[in-house]
Amino acid sequence: MTDTEKNQDQAQPLVSHLTELRDRLLRCVLAILVVFFSLFYFANDIYYFVSEPLRVLLPEGTSMIATEVASPFLTPFKLTLVASLILAMPIILYQVWGFIAPGMYRSEKRIAIPLLASSIVLFYAGLAFAYYVVFPLIFGFFSGVGPEGVAYTPDIARFLDIVLKLFFAFGVAFEIPIATILLIWAGITTPETLSEKRPYIVVGCFVFGMLLTPPDIISQALLALPMWLLFEFGVFFGRFIHPREDEKTT
């Protein structure tokens, strides 16, 4: 076999992988677009639902405002696009799994599938926690601390920026058990080591809570405390996980 033929044989698997990657990326984009166009007609209703925790706390006779010309259209549009990405997440993760699964051992698949399913559930749980628990508390705080004579009329675009930031922060924070278990399974650390570093973890949770939330102590604490509890949750279940190098792959 000539060098040219060897190079062609080596290039074929790479080309096939790139082709598969392209196809799966296109399926992800198509899934997002399908969900988006299905939801776009209800864009204003979606914004109405998301903004309800704030609207119910507004003083009587006041409402949210739009300070930019295009905000009444662009703000619900942006929210619908983000909602489409979130709702299409199971399909996106399925495509990711389909791409990487052929290169995994059977023992790796046995733990990867439950972790993948759990990551989706935990991400949605983080969003629900933010909406039903965090939003009423922090918006109640914001609406009640203003000085006398100042009308509290939040801008719809600024409100959406805060909401998306909180959704992202809590969605990612609720993935901590998955990240903890993966670190233990990969042999990078152990439950005992993580337990010894608990004081640093707690401080780190509050630092991340400060960086990922609006500058108020309520939202920071509401993010930091669940992060710490989820870390403990991951350490507990990590004790039942055997490190990857100790497993026999088939």
Side-chain angles (χ1 to χ4, degrees):
M1 181 179 293
T2 64
D3 292 340
T4 302
E5 291 174 338
K6 290 181 179 179
N7 292 334
Q8 289 177 347
D9 291 339
Q10 293 174 354
Q12 285 178 355
L14 177 61
V15 173
S16 64
H17 286 312
L18 292 176
T19 301
E20 183 183 2
L21 178 61
R22 179 203 62 189
D23 293 341
R24 292 191 180 278
L25 288 174
L26 289 175
R27 291 170 192 165
C28 293
V29 173
L30 180 61
I32 295 172
L33 290 177
V34 169
V35 177
F36 173 77
F37 286 115
S38 301
L39 295 178
F40 184 69
Y41 179 80
F42 307 99
N44 290 334
D45 296 326
I46 295 172
Y47 189 89
Y48 185 85
F49 172 77
V50 172
S51 63
E52 185 176 5
L54 174 61
R55 288 185 296 99
V56 296
L57 297 170
L58 293 177
E60 187 177 355
T62 62
S63 63
M64 301 179 69
I65 62 172
T67 58
E68 299 178 5
V69 175
S71 288
F73 170 77
L74 291 179
T75 302
F77 178 92
K78 179 180 178 180
L79 177 59
T80 304
L81 184 60
V82 174
S84 302
L85 177 62
I86 293 172
L87 292 177
M89 192 61 66
I91 298 175
I92 296 173
L93 291 178
Y94 176 78
Q95 295 301 322
V96 173
W97 169 253
F99 183 74
I100 65 175
M104 301 178 68
Y105 292 107
R106 186 178 302 173
S107 59
E108 294 174 334
K109 292 180 181 179
R110 282 199 297 265
I111 190 172
I113 294 176
L115 288 179
L116 184 65
S118 299
S119 66
I120 298 174
V121 173
L122 286 172
F123 182 77
Y124 288 148
L127 302 185
F129 181 82
Y131 181 82
Y132 290 105
V133 178
V134 179
F135 287 3
L137 291 175
I138 65 171
F139 295 146
F141 171 77
F142 288 148
S143 62
V145 297
E148 291 288 338
V150 176
Y152 185 64
T153 53
D155 177 65
I156 61 173
R158 299 299 181 188
F159 165 78
L160 182 60
D161 291 339
I162 294 177
V163 163
L164 294 182
K165 187 177 181 180
L166 289 171
F167 273 145
F168 173 78
F170 281 90
V172 172
F174 271 60
E175 299 295 329
I176 287 179
I178 304 299
T180 304
I181 292 173
L182 285 175
L183 289 174
I184 296 172
W185 176 64
I188 298 175
T189 186
T190 63
E192 292 74 19
T193 301
L194 291 174
S195 297
E196 292 173 358
K197 296 181 179 179
R198 182 176 287 109
Y200 303 101
I201 299 295
V202 173
V203 173
C205 290
F206 278 91
V207 171
F208 279 106
M210 177 183 64
L211 295 176
L212 296 177
T213 59
D216 67 282
I217 190 62
I218 296 178
S219 57
Q220 293 170 11
L222 287 174
L223 179 58
L225 292 176
M227 287 176 67
W228 172 46
L229 294 176
L230 290 166
F231 163 76
E232 298 291 348
F233 184 79
V235 171
F236 174 78
F237 281 96
R239 298 182 188 277
F240 304 98
I241 300 295
H242 297 289
R244 181 181 179 182
E245 62 266 23
D246 294 338
E247 295 183 352
K248 294 181 179 180
T249 58
T250 58

